[in-house]
């Protein structure tokens, strides 16, 4: 049997260090905000030129633009994201690309205003907060029949603390990678990835908690640390196997998939690995530590 609960201080220190690194990266580097949130222009050009991405990038640089992003789109397309431009600038860019690529054809052109970006930011924050509150309420209700003095609310709050741990580390690593690679930007796909990570992580945590509840009901007088140790070890292989199958699929998509969703896949991969770790080494030990501290304070 692995001594996971007995060594909970080690996991808390490791999690604390990872969280500090994540927070530091977020403060020092910040997030590379995409056009979805800061506003700007999105153009999609079609060309059969094999060097369309390189030629488009060089053309924009020669025209004096910076902070833009050029990505392949579909089989013969190029997606361009840059700051807000006027209609004259748009026509000049299109003319230059047509000349340099030889066969450039504009597929779409959209301007995203800063007002829309601000609204998306607000909605994204609300989505994460509402999801966290919903998780606490759901777990508290689902585990309401736990034997006393255990509280189902402790399970719900501990699960959300573990989720906050997952999101902070994932966002911190995202900021670190985004500092060096332009394609790691915060957009709607990034928020979707965070919400998916929350769902996957809490699912993994509930699997461990459910076994914990079963063992508590069977042995209500057994020490909580002993019961939790047994429960975590009983679900350990299942948790790791389930996560590894998902991670292997994500790695395949990361290697073979389109560059346009690379940041989404990488965020999911990091988040699911961190989420699996927290469901085993953070969420369950938190319940034990919280319960024992309250027991000491009541004496």
């Amino acid at each position: 049997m692995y001594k996971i609960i007995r060594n909970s201080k080690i996991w808390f220190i490791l999690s604390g260090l990872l969280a500090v690194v994540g927070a530091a990266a977020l403060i020092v580097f910040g997030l590379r905000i995409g056009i979805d949130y800061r506003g700007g222009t999105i153009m999609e050009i079609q060309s059969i030129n094999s060097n369309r991405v390189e030629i488009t990038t060089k053309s924009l640089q020669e025209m004096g633009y910076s902070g833009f992003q050029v990505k392949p789109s579909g089989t013969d397309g190029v997606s361009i994201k840059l700051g807000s431009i006027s209609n004259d600038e748009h026509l000049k860019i299109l003319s230059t690309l047509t000349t340099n690529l030889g066969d450039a054809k504009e597929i779409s052109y959209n301007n995203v205003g800063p007002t829309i970006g601000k609204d998306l930011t607000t909605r994204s924050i609300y989505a994460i907060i509402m999801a966290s509150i919903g998780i606490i309420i759901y777990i508290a209700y689902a585990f309401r029949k736990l034997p006393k003095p255990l509280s189902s609310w402790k399970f719900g709050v501990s699960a959300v603390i573990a989720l906050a741990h997952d999101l902070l580390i994932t966002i911190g690593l995202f900021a670190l990678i985004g500092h060096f690679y332009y394609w790691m930007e915060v957009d709607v796909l990034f928020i979707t990835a965070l919400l998916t990570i929350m769902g996957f992580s809490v699912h993994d945590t509930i699997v461990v908690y459910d076994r914990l509840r079963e063992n508590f009901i069977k042995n209500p007088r057994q020490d909580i640390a002993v019961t939790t140790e047994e429960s975590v070890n009983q679900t350990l292989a299942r948790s790791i196997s389930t996560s590894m199958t998902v991670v292997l699929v994500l790695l395949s998509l990361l290697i073979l998939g389109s560059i346009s969703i690379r940041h989404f896949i990488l965020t999911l991969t990091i988040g699911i690995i961190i989420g699996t770790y927290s469901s085993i080494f953070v969420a369950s030990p938190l319940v034990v530590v919280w319960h024992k501290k309250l027991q000491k304070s009541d004496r």
Side-chain angles (χ1 to χ4, degrees), residues 18-33 124-125 128 163-179 184-187 189-195 197-198 263 266-272 274-275:
L18 289 173
V20 168
V21 170
L26 195 57
I27 293 169
V28 175
F29 300 122
L31 293 170
R32 189 185 291 274
I33 306 299
S124 299
I125 293 171
I128 292 174
L163 279 180
H165 157 277
D166 301 343
L167 295 183
L168 177 59
I169 295 172
T170 302
I171 294 171
L173 288 174
F174 191 95
L176 182 62
I177 298 170
H179 178 69
M184 285 294 281
E185 65 173 13
V186 175
D187 56 10
L189 278 179
F190 174 68
I191 302 301
T192 304
L194 291 185
L195 292 172
I197 290 165
M198 290 177 70
H263 65 299
L266 184 57
T267 305
L268 278 180
T269 305
I270 293 170
I272 287 175
I274 298 296

Side-chain angles (χ1 to χ4, degrees), residues 268-284:
L268 278 180
T269 305
I270 293 170
I272 287 175
I273 292 172
I274 298 296
T276 303
Y277 161 79
S278 72
S279 66
I280 298 169
F281 299 98
V282 177
S284 297

Side-chain angles (χ1 to χ4, degrees), residues 94-280:
L94 188 57
S95 175
T96 302
L97 292 179
T98 301
T99 302
N100 293 345
L101 289 170
D103 64 339
K105 179 183 177 182
E106 187 175 58
I107 304 300
S108 63
Y109 170 73
N110 293 298
N111 275 316
V112 180
T115 302
I116 297 175
K118 186 177 180 182
D119 182 58
L120 278 173
T121 302
T122 304
R123 287 175 179 270
S124 299
I125 293 171
Y126 284 159
I128 292 174
I129 293 173
M130 289 174 65
S132 299
I133 294 172
I135 288 167
I136 292 174
I137 294 172
Y138 170 74
I139 293 179
Y141 176 78
F143 289 83
R144 66 191 182 281
K145 294 183 180 180
L146 279 168
K148 299 297 180 182
L150 293 171
S151 169
S152 60
W153 289 101
K154 292 177 189 174
F155 281 72
V157 174
S158 296
V160 169
I161 291 173
L163 279 180
H165 157 277
D166 301 343
L167 295 183
L168 177 59
I169 295 172
T170 302
I171 294 171
L173 288 174
F174 191 95
L176 182 62
I177 298 170
H179 178 69
F180 299 101
Y181 298 97
Y182 72 89
W183 45 266
M184 285 294 281
E185 65 173 13
V186 175
D187 56 10
V188 175
L189 278 179
F190 174 68
I191 302 301
T192 304
L194 291 185
L195 292 172
T196 305
I197 290 165
M198 290 177 70
F200 192 93
S201 181
V202 78
H203 164 268
D204 215 17
T205 301
I206 286 175
V207 169
V208 181
Y209 280 178
D210 191 55
R211 182 57 59 89
L212 196 54
R213 176 180 59 181
E214 291 177 2
N215 289 338
F216 277 139
I217 292 172
K218 289 179 183 177
N219 304 295
R221 295 184 181 181
Q222 186 169 261
D223 183 80
I224 185 173
V226 176
T227 305
T228 306
E229 193 82 83
E230 292 175 354
S231 303
V232 171
N233 274 272
Q234 287 167 4
T235 56
L236 185 62
R238 177 183 174 181
S239 296
I240 294 175
S241 299
T242 303
S243 299
M244 281 304 299
T245 54
V246 178
V247 169
L248 288 173
V249 172
L250 290 174
L251 288 175
S252 299
L253 287 172
L254 191 61
I255 296 168
L256 303 173
S258 170
I259 191 174
S260 60
I261 59 169
R262 184 182 293 171
H263 65 299
F264 173 70
I265 301 299
L266 184 57
T267 305
L268 278 180
T269 305
I270 293 170
I272 287 175
I273 292 172
I274 298 296
T276 303
Y277 161 79
S278 72
S279 66
I280 298 169

